[in-house]
Amino acid sequence: MAKSGTTEASAKTEASALEVTDTRSGEKHSFPITDGSIRATDLKKIPSGDEDGGGLVSYDPAFLNTAACRSSITYIDGDKGILRYRGYPIEQLAERANFLEVAWLLRHGELPDQKEYDSFVHDITYHTYVHENIRKFLEGFRYDAHPMAMLNSAVAALASFYPDSRNIFDPDQRNISMIRLLAKVPTIAAFSYRHVKGLPFVYPDNDLSYVENFLSMVARMSEPKYEANPVFVRALEILFILHADHEQNCSTSAVRAVGSSHVDPFSAMSAGIAALFGPLHGGANEAVLRMIGEIGHPKNVPAFIEEVKGGKGQRLMGFGHRVYKSYDPRATIVKKLADDVFKIVGMDKDLEIALELERIALSDEYFVSRKLYPNVDFYTGLIYRSMAFPTEFFTVLFAIARMSGWLAQWEEMLLDKEQKIARPRQIYTGPVERDYTSRLAPPKVGPRVAKKDALRQ
Ligand code: CMC
């Protein structure tokens, strides 16, 4: 979790140090504390005591308490339920900003002025088209391909269309790659949708806004101009803003780790998409809807909750968060948004099941004591579904939004002089050295070899 890096806070901690005594040797060690952290590499000074003669390492599976970077992009206070992009509260951005403004903010650190915004929107709009071979590439997928698999592959494939993007330390190349990714991902996402539906692809309409154009590519049929429902447009804009960044989560860490090898940005972003696909991360909104489908009726909710509490591996999807332990501020905004959308589309059985799940879980000791509250994904799936997006497409919508955060984090990592190729340590638990003795049957020398030799003549 990020600490707010104010000069005042840094000054207070500069003189502080952590004093520890190694009880094995009685030696004392002092580690400077800066910004609420000690350097894990300082621990190397203390001998591990292992026969390899190395220094002590910190052991932190799943990075529960390890800061891997300094970042000025997103601030989260999980206990207080705070989320800010570049200092701006998520509530204000969701209410008043638009997605491209937020994408600019995440990368550049300040909101764009009118000139910067107009030029950014122009550039994004100009690059929405994809090479026809990307279209053909997408057509090669099976009729039932998961759109996240299609999106991931197509984004990785873009690296082959833009070989100059490998010059990641050229600011112009970085800029055009970032524009291309933001511009083309909605097009690829929409093409994936149309492919699975067996519908003809709709090309970008550059008269429309980012979100309207995306909806047009998804939903337009024979009408010459697609006009989206303004409530849906605003809902999607807000959902994109809420999902734009979330500091060092699984997919962002994947982008940073893969990007730290200095690979091109298309390959690094495809690593982020792959991580997001998982049901414990971006795939959770899809998993919520599947879970609701399995529950089937509001009357089955209590039995389902008991099953979850039974601890047989079943989880209440859309509940709990690694960082938020009081509430997820995004969930509060999304719940309000859900009310607006449901006013248009009406209540249905699935929504009733969701509300019943929420009601019971929020008053049940198991969930309360573990600080398990609805997270952003609990409601987003319901909104997407009421907008008629198929369940498999939910994580794709998340990926479109998160691309802006991944790109900002990727560039910050590249320009950070302290960063090197990501390479965690391990604690080896395997066998000690032993000699090789084959356990296979001895190779047969027989007619197959002779026949092959005969063919060579
Ligand atoms: N349902 C039931 N029990 C749960 C749940 C849940 N959703 N989440 C955590 N627990 C229990 C868990 O079994 C453990 O209990 P115990 O202490 O008795 O062993 C305790 O709560 C702590 O869980 P944890 O696994 O240590 O928590 P974590 O921080 O590692 O996991 C999480 C965070 C989000 C992966 C997890 O809460 C989860 O699997 N939630 C469901 C999936 C989900 O909704 N994911 C979307 C996250 S928000 C979008 C994003 O940022 O990606």
Side-chain angles (χ1 to χ4, degrees):
M1 204 189 316
K3 297 270 168 199
S4 59
T6 63
T7 326
E8 203 186 322
S10 313
K12 257 189 227 158
T13 53
E14 246 163 38
S16 327
L18 176 73
E19 305 278 348
V20 290
T21 306
D22 185 342
T23 56
R24 298 167 305 174
S25 61
E27 275 178 24
K28 289 198 186 316
H29 300 273
S30 173
F31 303 116
I33 299 175
T34 313
D35 291 337
S37 67
I38 58 161
R39 295 238 163 208
T41 44
D42 282 352
L43 295 173
K44 271 176 149 180
K45 293 174 206 151
I46 306 177
S48 68
D50 287 348
E51 51 186 55
D52 67 6
L56 217 57
V57 294
S58 60
Y59 177 55
D60 188 11
F63 307 118
L64 291 180
N65 195 34
T66 293
C69 63
R70 302 171 73 84
S71 179
S72 58
I73 300 173
T74 292
Y75 175 75
I76 297 176
D77 184 329
D79 291 328
K80 296 196 185 116
I82 292 174
L83 169 60
R84 295 183 201 133
Y85 297 159
R86 301 281 190 183
Y88 294 104
I90 193 65
E91 294 79 5
Q92 292 181 19
L93 293 171
E95 200 180 317
R96 300 188 352 229
N98 71 45
F99 174 66
L100 287 184
E101 220 183 332
V102 168
W104 174 282
L105 169 72
L106 288 172
R107 181 181 175 198
H108 297 281
E110 295 299 336
L111 288 164
D113 62 24
Q114 193 62 51
K115 200 165 151 238
E116 288 165 334
Y117 177 73
D118 290 346
S119 145
F120 184 52
V121 171
H122 171 270
D123 289 349
I124 298 276
T125 312
Y126 187 81
H127 287 281
T128 47
Y129 275 68
V130 291
H131 194 289
E132 279 293 281
N133 287 357
I134 284 284
R135 185 182 60 77
K136 290 184 197 146
F137 175 71
L138 290 170
E139 280 171 354
F141 280 86
R142 272 177 60 116
Y143 68 96
D144 58 353
H146 196 293
M148 275 299 272
M150 295 176 74
L151 179 69
N152 189 6
S153 318
V155 167
L158 285 177
S160 69
F161 289 79
Y162 305 108
D164 287 348
S165 66
R166 294 168 72 186
N167 299 326
I168 51 171
F169 291 107
D170 174 344
D172 291 339
Q173 278 305 325
R174 252 196 339 265
N175 187 51
I176 187 66
S177 294
M178 292 169 94
I179 296 280
R180 282 184 175 132
L181 275 155
L182 284 171
K184 293 180 199 307
V185 158
T187 311
I188 296 170
F191 281 11
S192 309
Y193 172 91
R194 304 285 290 203
H195 175 75
V196 173
K197 289 273 175 193
L199 293 168
F201 294 168
V202 177
Y203 284 76
D205 180 341
N206 289 348
D207 290 337
L208 299 176
S209 74
Y210 192 80
V211 170
E212 285 171 315
N213 173 47
F214 170 63
L215 287 172
S216 162
M217 291 187 289
V218 165
R220 192 171 126 205
M221 296 305 287
S222 62
E223 64 271 40
K225 193 98 190 155
Y226 182 75
E227 280 180 37
N229 183 323
V231 176
F232 288 177
V233 174
R234 188 60 200 151
L236 207 51
E237 189 99 46
I238 292 175
L239 290 171
F240 281 0
I241 292 171
L242 297 184
H243 281 110
D245 196 51
H246 212 228
E247 52 118 309
Q248 308 313 314
N249 55 84
C250 177
S251 58
T252 302
S253 301
V255 165
R256 278 181 174 260
V258 172
S260 77
S261 74
H262 291 179
V263 73
D264 68 88
F266 299 98
S267 304
M269 298 309 132
S270 95
I273 297 171
L276 195 71
F277 196 1
L280 297 188
H281 191 12
N285 50 21
E286 182 177 336
V288 169
L289 264 279
R290 293 202 192 292
M291 174 186 75
I292 287 175
E294 277 163 32
I295 294 172
H297 193 281
K299 72 173 170 23
N300 300 331
V301 169
F304 179 80
I305 294 274
E306 286 311 310
E307 212 179 298
V308 169
K309 286 160 61 180
K312 290 193 187 124
Q314 176 75 276
R315 286 200 163 191
L316 181 51
M317 300 312 285
F319 265 67
H321 201 276
R322 170 62 59 80
V323 175
Y324 296 120
K325 299 298 176 195
S326 62
Y327 67 94
D328 179 340
R330 302 168 301 172
T332 315
I333 299 168
V334 171
K335 190 165 187 206
K336 197 168 151 283
L337 196 63
D339 292 340
D340 295 344
V341 173
F342 297 144
K343 264 185 214 142
I344 296 182
V345 296
M347 278 281 274
D348 67 1
K349 181 168 60 65
D350 287 356
L351 186 57
E352 281 174 33
I353 294 173
L355 293 176
E356 185 63 359
L357 274 172
E358 187 194 21
R359 191 187 65 78
I360 297 184
L362 286 179
S363 56
D364 190 294
E365 208 278 323
Y366 176 95
F367 296 93
V368 174
S369 64
R370 288 170 178 76
K371 301 188 172 175
L372 300 172
Y373 299 92
N375 59 49
V376 68
D377 286 321
F378 189 69
Y379 307 104
T380 47
L382 290 162
I383 299 180
Y384 291 146
R385 211 207 45 161
S386 59
M387 290 167 77
F389 282 113
T391 310
E392 290 199 329
F393 204 64
F394 296 172
T395 318
V396 173
L397 298 165
F398 190 161
I400 295 173
R402 186 55 59 86
M403 184 56 65
S404 59
W406 290 333
L407 288 168
Q409 299 267 357
W410 168 75
E411 190 175 47
E412 185 179 59
M413 179 273 304
L414 282 183
L415 302 181
D416 181 346
K417 297 267 180 297
E418 271 200 302
Q419 290 293 336
K420 290 172 181 285
I421 186 165
R423 180 44 172 103
R425 302 293 303 273
Q426 65 162 12
I427 296 172
Y428 177 70
T429 60
V432 293
E433 185 180 358
R434 50 186 173 161
D435 288 327
Y436 171 79
T437 319
S438 176
R439 298 176 67 205
L440 306 178
K444 280 189 193 139
V445 183
R448 264 187 72 201
V449 175
K451 203 171 162 194
K452 202 173 162 200
D453 283 346
L455 280 174
R456 278 210 198 104
Q457 287 165 7

